[in-house]
């Protein structure tokens, strides 16, 4: 099956947060979200909103800039938040336990280009780009696994 694609405009940080929460509520174990876009594009903002909505108990959701991964107990399963910008070697992805988490947890990965061959084929890619106004972002979603077509039904307008 060939891939699918959808684009939307996020007019404010709140709009991004609302979309993240709506998508988050549909996720289950084994779902991997690849969050790409330049520095300040909104990847962490999106991930933070999504994770906060699924946390079993409220806690801070810091950017995993230096820790590379943060894990959270959530509903319906553990949530992994990774920022691979500072990854030194792709094999580190295995050492961090990320490849296992791709199977058993919900995983959100910033700078997913670092995954190389370890990129899960069933993942959905979310690419954030700046819009015309300071608080506007364009988000393009691409996937090939049909499960995402179901997940996104009613969330995106086609
Ligand atoms: N529509 C929007 N959606 C998301 N963030 C927005 C939007 N408009 C403005 N922002 C602001 O842009 C910034 C995005 O920062 P964020 O840390 O999420 O970027 P990032 O993509 O994770 O960058 P990095 O590559 O450094 O990790 C935040 O300060 C956020 O408030
Ligand atoms: Mg970030």
């Amino acid at each position: 099956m060939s891939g699918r694609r959808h684009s939307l405009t996020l007019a404010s940080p709140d709009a991004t947060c609302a979309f993240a929460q709506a998508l988050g509520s549909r996720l289950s174990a084994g779902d991997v979200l690849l969050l790409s876009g330049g520095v300040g594009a909104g990847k962490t903002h999106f991930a933070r909103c999504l994770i906060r909505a699924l946390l079993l108990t409220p806690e801070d959701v810091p950017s995993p800039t230096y820790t590379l991964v943060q894990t959270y107990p959530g509903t319906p399963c553990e949530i992994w938040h990774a920022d691979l910008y500072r990854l030194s070697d792709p094999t580190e992805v295995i050492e961090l336990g990320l490849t296992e988490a791709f199977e058993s947890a919900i995983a959100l990965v910033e700078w997913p280009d670092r995954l190389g061959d370890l990129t899960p084929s069933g993942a959905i890619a979310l690419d954030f780009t700046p819009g015309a106004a300071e608080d506007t972002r364009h988000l393009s979603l691409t996937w090939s696994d049909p499960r995402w077509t179901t997940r996104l039904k009613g969330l995106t307008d086609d």
Side-chain angles (χ1 to χ4, degrees):
M1 276 265 128
S2 62
R4 295 249 9 221
R5 183 186 192 89
H6 189 84
S7 302
L8 49 152
T9 300
L10 303 162
S12 66
D14 283 353
T16 299
C17 206
F19 181 72
Q21 288 167 353
L23 179 57
S25 70
R26 295 161 176 233
L27 299 180
S28 58
D31 285 346
V32 181
L33 280 65
L34 309 173
L35 310 176
S36 63
V39 170
K43 305 179 293 296
T44 298
H45 179 74
F46 175 93
R48 182 174 288 133
C49 287
L50 190 158
I51 293 165
R52 277 194 178 143
L54 301 183
L55 285 178
L56 290 183
T57 50
E59 64 174 296
D60 278 352
V61 179
S63 173
T65 312
Y66 297 102
T67 53
L68 300 190
V69 284
Q70 302 277 350
T71 63
Y72 302 90
T75 310
C77 62
E78 194 168 44
I79 304 157
W80 283 54
H81 182 195
D83 181 337
L84 303 181
Y85 189 80
R86 288 178 169 74
L87 197 79
S88 44
D89 190 293
T91 59
E92 224 183 317
V93 170
I94 301 165
E95 285 157 26
L96 287 165
L98 251 185
T99 42
E100 272 176 51
F102 291 159
E103 312 283 326
S104 60
I106 289 169
L108 308 173
V109 184
E110 298 184 41
W111 298 98
D113 53 307
R114 309 293 198 266
L115 290 171
D117 292 348
L118 298 172
T119 308
S121 59
I124 186 168
L126 289 82
D127 186 40
F128 295 83
T129 48
E134 197 188 328
D135 278 359
T136 301
R137 302 289 186 271
H138 293 298
L139 175 60
S140 128
L141 304 113
T142 46
W143 65 94
S144 55
D145 190 319
R147 102 181 100 143
W148 290 109
T149 312
T150 316
R151 294 266 199 288
L152 293 169
K153 220 160 250 164
L155 264 192
T156 52
D157 11 62
D158 64 302

